[in-house]
Every structure is written in C-alpha cells, then in structure tokens.
Amino acid sequence: TRVGGILDAVTDCENGRFVSTNNVDELADTISELMSNDHERERLGNAACQTIRNNFTLQRELDANLSLYNRLGLKM
C-alpha cells in the first residue's frame, strides 16, 4: 500500500506493485497474478533489488541522516 517510507523505495509496476489499503480482493488478485507470471515476478524482484542497491546504501542513509540533523540545527 502507499504508506510511509515505502513510497521512497517502490514505484508501482516498475519495482513492485501497490494495492489499495484494506482491499483484500485487490491484494488477492495481485498475488495470484504474480504467482502465475514468473517473468513479471522475476522482473519486479530484480528491479527492487537494484533500487535498494542503488538508492539505499549505508553511506547514502548516513548522509541523509546527517543532512536532516544539520537542517534541524543539531551538530553531529
């Protein structure tokens, strides 16, 4: 679902799939669709791994946190 920090990592149909909050039927349909489509499941999984490797390295996370602390006026 489109909540919290997941929006920083997932782009619908590019490296994951979104479903509407509290929509059990949509969730079941999406899971069924992916279970029956090996190619799409593998494509999304590979894209998700690449997104994490490229955008969520330890150094990038540390830099982002330090930048936030600096904006808040905290000295680290």
Side-chain angles (χ1 to χ4, degrees):
T1 61
R2 291 174 172 86
V3 296
I6 199 72
L7 294 171
D8 295 333
V10 175
T11 301
D12 194 29
C13 297
E14 187 174 307
N15 62 355
R17 294 287 302 272
F18 283 121
V19 295
S20 302
T21 304
N22 297 322
N23 189 331
V24 176
D25 292 331
E26 184 181 3
L27 177 60
D29 290 345
T30 301
I31 291 170
S32 293
E33 178 185 323
L34 291 172
M35 291 298 294
S36 65
N37 188 336
D38 295 341
H39 174 72
E40 181 66 0
R41 196 173 59 247
E42 185 173 342
R43 184 188 72 75
L44 289 171
N46 289 336
C49 286
Q50 196 61 45
T51 296
I52 299 305
R53 284 188 193 108
N54 291 343
N55 299 325
F56 296 93
T57 64
L58 178 58
Q59 190 61 54
R60 286 184 94 163
E61 293 299 307
L62 290 171
D63 291 344
N65 284 326
L66 286 173
S67 176
L68 175 61
Y69 295 152
N70 287 331
R71 285 194 314 267
L72 293 173
L74 303 172
K75 301 296 178 201
M76 302 305 290

